[in-house]
Amino acid sequence: MVMDDTMRALLGRYSGAVPRYTSYPTAPHFGENLNCGKYARWLGELRSGQDVSLYIHIPYCDRLCWFCACHTKHTLKYEPITTYLAALYNEIATVGSLVGEGAKVTAVHFGGGSPTMLMPADMIELMRRLRSAFDFADDVEVSVEMDPNDLDEPRYDALAAIGMTRASLGVQDFEPKVQQTINRIQTFEQTAGVVEAVRARGVHSVNCDLLYGLPYQTLASLERTVSDIITLDPDRIALFGYAHVPWMKKHQQMIPEAALPDVEMRYEQMTRAAEMLVAAGYQSIGIDHFAKPSDRLAVAAREGRLRRNFQGYTDDAADALIGLGASSIGQLPQGYVQNMPATGEYQKMASGDGLCAVRGVELSEDDRLRAHVIEQIMCNFCFDFAEIRALFPKGAETVITEARVFTAGNRDGLCSIDGERFRLTETGRPFARSVAAVFDAYLSSGKGRHSIAV
């Protein structure tokens, strides 16, 4: 691929640091005045007929990957996990008792960290506690983030026993030098074995996470990784750009910055990987996901039902997402709430009255309007003026004016207004995060530092 001067100029102008917009307002703008009492009221206002998703955070890994920006800590002993689970069980019981009667759980996501570090008996007990505390729908989706290095036959059997329906495998890159530099040794054979094992146990959807922009990663090495992944025939593939944020995650200082691809190479890697996946029959979804046309995520994208939350793109239409565990973030109709991030402090709170909320934001009408517009841009690369006038009659004209002003002043052709619709052009789609930032009323406050947009 030969990059022309026009694209080089666009990268220079629009690849600056902006949020990933898995929420709006974004986490740096959560305030510390949202207390457990308010959270308890929000939970109680969930009602019969409303659907709920659960996110359960396991903040431990038996190895620490240098690239990771998740809230996790390294341990080679199981005792800290046992202690953590006891506190988590108490939070589950408390939160479940507060949720309004009749709200049903339709999806459960186990994330981390490494949820697959749990002993088989603990996996089963954790799900038993969840089912005891909450009212589960009959067809609940259960997804688990998996580290192939943790897995063995008893764990596979336990995952089947808890009803796992979607397996999400972290792959990142198969190139040995890249793996050594990011401290993530994982062979293709290991990964293929996991895919085979979960499918043999009836899992209907397998997702693989890939990263571009890693140290020592080249266009050729990424092509080899993508080719290998395609042979595994995953149902979904997430192609994330590595977020280098060493000021926030100190272990990323282990990664030599001189070995990181520059923004032009990152763009070439992203574009080439996307080309290969589309050529292999995957549907491009949003800015960084790909799915088989028959997959639920692809169907949701085609039908305009695609959503975006802290797990990325989703077809989950639940009315609320309840976060459980240290640092987890919930999204309720009233706003966002985040649990205590520090594991020790979380355990004290969870072992006390069982509620651990320490930060969050109650959404204003302007927040809801802008959240909707930003989600539409990130999911569908457009938004309709008539729709936001109907949904948000008081503030819609302000955002519509902002869209018209930005479009009129943007000489790079990133967007256009077709009748009553603001849309990103093909040129603008790679810069969707930067375009979404135009509608972010908080960004100019300077709170928070972010990764680059490409």
Side-chain angles (χ1 to χ4, degrees):
M1 176 186 295
V2 178
M3 182 173 297
D4 60 30
D5 291 340
T6 299
M7 180 52 68
R8 190 171 288 111
L10 289 175
L11 288 169
R13 285 194 282 274
Y14 300 109
S15 63
V18 291
R20 288 182 179 268
Y21 291 115
T22 53
S23 72
Y24 181 84
T26 56
H29 301 286
F30 291 0
E32 297 182 0
N33 57 349
L34 196 147
N35 56 38
C36 292
K38 179 172 285 189
Y39 181 36
R41 289 196 299 275
W42 290 1
L43 291 169
E45 289 169 8
L46 292 171
R47 289 287 179 261
S48 179
Q50 291 189 297
D51 293 335
V52 174
S53 291
L54 303 178
Y55 171 79
I56 300 90
H57 190 70
I58 307 297
Y60 292 97
C61 295
D62 50 14
R63 59 174 176 175
L64 195 59
C65 304
W66 304 146
F67 70 87
C68 182
C70 298
H71 178 78
T72 188
K73 59 199 307 182
H74 177 250
T75 182
L76 294 177
K77 298 179 179 180
Y78 200 72
E79 289 83 357
I81 299 175
T82 300
T83 302
Y84 177 79
L85 286 174
L88 178 61
Y89 294 157
N90 203 50
E91 185 194 9
I92 289 169
T94 300
V95 171
S97 70
L98 292 169
V99 170
E101 186 176 353
K104 281 198 176 288
V105 172
T106 55
V108 181
H109 184 95
F110 294 95
S114 298
T116 46
M117 273 191 72
L118 296 184
M119 294 294 188
D122 285 336
M123 290 183 189
I124 294 170
E125 178 63 12
L126 176 53
M127 181 57 88
R128 189 192 72 78
R129 299 273 184 155
L130 290 167
R131 285 186 171 273
S132 176
F134 298 92
D135 187 6
F136 272 49
D138 293 336
D139 58 348
V140 64
E141 287 282 332
V142 179
S143 59
V144 183
E145 296 176 10
M146 309 176 77
D147 181 349
N149 289 276
D150 293 334
L151 292 162
D152 52 26
E153 290 301 310
R155 282 185 168 86
Y156 288 129
D157 291 341
L159 290 166
I162 68 172
M164 181 176 69
T165 58
R166 178 169 298 114
S168 184
L169 282 68
V171 175
Q172 324 321 335
D173 191 286
F174 287 128
E175 193 69 17
K177 186 173 184 179
V178 175
Q179 290 189 351
Q180 291 166 6
T181 307
I182 65 175
N183 199 38
R184 175 79 177 204
I185 306 302
Q186 177 180 319
T187 67
F188 171 78
E189 290 73 21
Q190 277 180 298
T191 307
V194 174
V195 174
E196 180 180 359
V198 299
R199 283 183 169 155
R201 287 164 174 81
V203 171
H204 68 71
S205 181
V206 174
N207 171 79
C208 291
D209 289 346
L210 303 181
L211 283 178
Y212 65 87
L214 289 170
Y216 299 112
Q217 197 175 43
T218 66
L219 202 58
S221 71
L222 181 60
E223 287 176 341
R224 289 192 292 271
T225 290
V226 173
S227 293
D228 286 343
I229 285 295
I230 288 171
T231 67
L232 300 180
D233 197 32
D235 302 272
R236 301 178 184 181
I237 297 170
L239 177 68
F240 298 122
Y242 165 57
H244 191 59
V245 288
W247 58 86
M248 182 172 68
K249 295 296 178 181
K250 299 300 182 185
H251 55 260
Q252 289 191 352
Q253 294 175 5
M254 301 293 291
I255 290 180
E257 292 191 353
L260 293 172
D262 63 18
V263 68
E264 293 182 15
M265 178 53 67
R266 284 174 64 98
Y267 178 79
E268 291 184 4
Q269 289 175 349
M270 175 188 74
T271 303
R272 178 60 184 137
E275 289 173 348
M276 293 177 68
L277 293 172
V278 171
Y282 288 89
Q283 179 180 330
S284 178
I285 295 170
I287 63 170
D288 53 20
H289 279 50
F290 300 82
K292 291 181 178 179
S294 59
D295 185 87
R296 287 176 46 167
L297 195 68
V299 174
R302 291 196 299 272
E303 294 179 353
R305 296 184 290 103
L306 192 64
R307 303 287 302 277
R308 189 162 172 82
N309 64 19
F310 296 102
Q311 281 78 58
Y313 290 108
T314 180
D315 63 325
D316 183 1
D319 301 285
L321 168 65
I322 296 176
L324 299 161
S327 81
S328 62
I329 299 176
Q331 180 177 358
L332 284 82
Q334 301 89 339
Y336 298 102
V337 59
Q338 183 174 23
N339 274 355
M340 166 60 70
T343 305
E345 292 301 311
Y346 161 79
Q347 290 174 176
K348 290 178 184 177
M349 295 178 73
S351 300
D353 64 13
L355 290 180
C356 310
V358 292
R359 301 174 67 239
V361 59
E362 186 167 7
L363 297 175
S364 68
E365 189 68 3
D366 187 68
D367 291 337
R368 296 178 191 279
L369 164 60
R370 293 178 183 276
H372 178 79
V373 165
I374 288 172
E375 185 177 48
Q376 289 294 305
I377 290 171
M378 296 297 293
C379 291
N380 303 315
F381 303 114
C382 66
F383 68 90
D384 290 318
F385 296 167
E387 180 189 44
I388 65 169
R389 285 190 183 107
L391 293 173
F392 309 98
K394 291 184 179 179
E397 293 306 327
T398 297
V399 169
I400 291 169
T401 298
E402 290 173 9
R404 293 189 187 281
V405 169
F406 177 72
T407 304
N410 185 260
R411 299 181 180 180
D412 293 315
L414 301 190
C415 55
S416 67
I417 293 178
D418 302 330
E420 288 287 284
R421 171 175 289 190
F422 173 90
R423 70 174 185 88
L424 274 64
T425 63
E426 289 298 321
T427 299
R429 289 189 175 196
F431 308 105
R433 286 169 60 189
S434 296
V435 175
V438 171
F439 302 96
D440 185 339
Y442 293 86
L443 193 59
S444 61
S445 72
K447 286 186 179 180
R449 295 172 68 184
H450 307 283
S451 59
I452 62 175
V454 174

